[in-house]
Amino acid sequence: MAGTRGLARTVKVVAAVAVLLVGAVGGAYLLGVVGAPSVVGVQNRFGDVSEEHTVIRSTLVVNNPNPVGVRLGGVSADYAVSLNGIRMASGSKSGLAVEQGNFSVPFRTRMNNSKIPAWWVSHVRNGEHTTLQVDASVHSSLLGRSFSPQITRDVNTSIISAFRSSETRPLNASSPLVSDPVLYLNRTEAQWGTVDNDTTEVEMTLHLYNPKSYPVTLSTVGYNITMNNISMGGGEAGEPTTIPPGETVAVPATTVIDTQKLDEWWVSHLQRNQVTQLRVSFYLVFDLSTAGAGEQRIDLTDVTRTIETDMFGTKNESETGTSGSAAAGSGGDGTATATPSGAGTDTPAGTAAGGDTATPGTTPTPTPAPTETPGGTATPSGGTTTTDDGLFTVDRSGLQ
């Protein structure tokens, strides 16, 4: 009996010590002496994509500074992604098991692809600039505290540069009825026009030089714009314009992109690992009745661009890779580059290749006018050919 009573007293002492220890740790936790869980890192990547939705797979890295891990029904985590203030995806989890040290909380959120056109409108109206913002928070109802670091990243593009060129191009009809070239396209300027949920306008100006001794009339500017072989817009632009002999005339022409097709493009972009082939085709129709040649159609060389993005900076990393994960409030690294057809050097956003500053309202210095030689063949002066490129250039700051 004495041994039994001794054992009972020992058990009571151990239980009391355990209660005191738990109470001490819990009290310190409640008082903030030890600390409360907080978000220390976020990693994002795109998952499955369908016509309607895009899955965003995210991992929140949460730190528990306490010496023990516990499961608290009152601990929850929330997550949201916004582009220029437009909420694209969000999710939450509750009843988290708070482990000791750093531990991961996985999320799978779905983005509605129908929001892509609205984002595009905001992006273009904002000078082709987007602020990608991630809000990640951990909240403890027991502690009455919330830890919400806000992580941002700037995404800047120069898509408009695909419609610009400072290259002098001879326009040849390849007809026995008229000598080539018929005209010279000295340069092409472009800027964004009206952009809304239905259409996105590109206001272009073609600078055409007539080397002939007779006037040439431009009847039609035809175009077709595709992204990953998806037709984004096409038709005819501009008004009939006559270019007098020996003169250069600026011909306005507005092309239109179908904004509502951008969600379809988005799906193809992600299905190709964030790679897009942009192709812009132009043709010009001239009235050469004065030279007895009637109407002649001239197809220009297609403008092609490879657009490659890495929105979260994680597409080439494994699930456990560290590249693309960011500590709360700090910047990671990501890339988004474009490669033009053929060789060339990337053009910074907002600048046309060849040194023509692409600022709306300004006129670049025109290419020296070519002079006609006997026999009807014109030779342009200047001589240097340049190419434009540089789409989806990203400022490497902010979130992973």
Side-chain angles (χ1 to χ4, degrees):
M1 289 294 291
T4 302
R5 286 195 297 271
L7 178 61
R9 283 196 298 270
T10 301
V11 170
K12 289 181 180 180
V13 170
V14 171
V17 171
V19 169
L20 288 173
L21 287 174
V22 171
V25 172
Y29 185 81
L30 288 172
L31 294 174
V33 174
V34 177
S38 61
V39 176
V40 295
V42 183
Q43 187 183 70
N44 304 279
R45 65 182 69 245
F46 291 111
D48 296 335
V49 58
S50 66
E51 292 183 3
E52 294 81 21
H53 297 98
T54 299
V55 173
I56 298 178
R57 303 203 311 270
S58 307
T59 301
L60 269 62
V61 180
V62 179
N63 175 261
N64 175 21
N66 300 286
V68 294
V70 294
R71 176 179 289 277
L72 299 174
V75 177
S76 61
D78 297 279
Y79 170 85
V81 177
S82 299
L83 298 176
N84 281 342
I86 301 171
R87 179 65 61 88
M88 306 301 288
S90 61
S92 63
K93 280 190 175 183
S94 58
L96 298 180
V98 183
E99 301 174 11
Q100 182 181 359
N102 288 349
F103 63 98
S104 298
V105 180
F107 278 85
R108 289 176 63 88
T109 54
R110 290 202 310 171
M111 182 182 79
N112 192 330
N113 292 340
S114 64
K115 293 184 178 182
I116 293 297
W119 159 71
W120 167 265
V121 171
S122 73
H123 182 72
V124 173
R125 288 179 177 175
N126 203 29
E128 293 196 55
H129 173 79
T130 287
T131 298
L132 184 152
Q133 180 174 304
V134 175
D135 294 293
S137 65
V138 173
H139 178 77
S140 172
S141 60
L142 183 63
L143 297 176
R145 295 181 182 177
S146 183
F147 304 86
S148 306
Q150 187 179 90
I151 305 168
T152 61
R153 176 180 183 176
D154 291 329
V155 180
N156 300 290
T157 70
S158 57
I159 299 173
I160 195 67
S161 69
F163 297 86
R164 296 174 177 150
S165 177
S166 58
E167 177 185 357
T168 296
R169 310 177 197 179
L171 304 181
N172 300 321
S174 300
S175 169
L177 301 177
V178 63
S179 60
D180 286 327
V182 175
L183 290 173
Y184 281 92
L185 177 57
N186 275 356
R187 70 179 184 278
T188 305
E189 299 169 353
Q191 64 183 25
W192 295 113
T194 301
V195 55
D196 55 34
N197 290 329
D198 296 317
T199 58
T200 300
E201 294 183 349
V202 179
E203 297 177 347
M204 303 178 62
T205 302
L206 311 179
H207 292 261
L208 295 170
Y209 171 76
N210 180 10
K212 301 298 186 184
S213 59
Y214 50 82
V216 175
T217 298
L218 172 64
S219 302
T220 302
V221 177
Y223 69 95
N224 186 45
I225 303 167
T226 63
M227 299 172 72
N228 286 340
N229 296 320
I230 299 171
S231 179
M232 303 301 296
E236 296 181 352
E239 299 290 337
T241 304
T242 298
I243 299 94
E247 293 188 14
T248 299
V249 174
V251 180
T254 299
T255 61
V256 178
I257 297 172
D258 187 346
T259 306
Q260 287 301 310
K261 286 191 174 181
L262 285 163
D263 55 349
E264 184 180 353
W265 156 75
W266 174 258
V267 173
S268 73
H269 185 66
L270 294 189
Q271 287 176 337
R272 299 183 182 210
N273 197 25
Q274 298 190 59
V275 175
T276 287
Q277 297 297 328
L278 170 67
R279 182 179 299 273
V280 185
S281 304
F282 287 101
Y283 68 86
L284 308 178
V285 177
F286 295 99
D287 183 358
L288 300 173
S289 299
T290 304
E295 282 197 339
Q296 298 288 331
R297 169 172 166 157
I298 299 176
D299 293 310
L300 303 184
T301 302
D302 290 352
V303 178
T304 60
R305 297 288 187 273
T306 298
I307 304 171
E308 181 174 2
T309 66
D310 191 1
M311 298 292 287
F312 296 125
T314 55
K315 75 172 186 175
N316 295 321
E317 299 296 330
S318 64
E319 292 286 351
T320 57
T322 56
S323 176
S325 61
S330 67
D333 196 7
T335 60
T337 61
T339 305
S341 176
T345 303
D346 285 348
T347 303
T351 303
D356 293 341
T357 301
T359 303
T362 64
T363 302
T365 303
T367 305
T371 55
E372 185 157 10
T373 60
T377 302
T379 303
S381 59
T384 301
T385 298
T386 60
T387 58
D388 302 318
D389 52 35
L391 302 182
F392 267 90
T393 56
V394 168
D395 179 349
R396 300 185 175 203
S397 61
L399 178 64
Q400 65 279 8

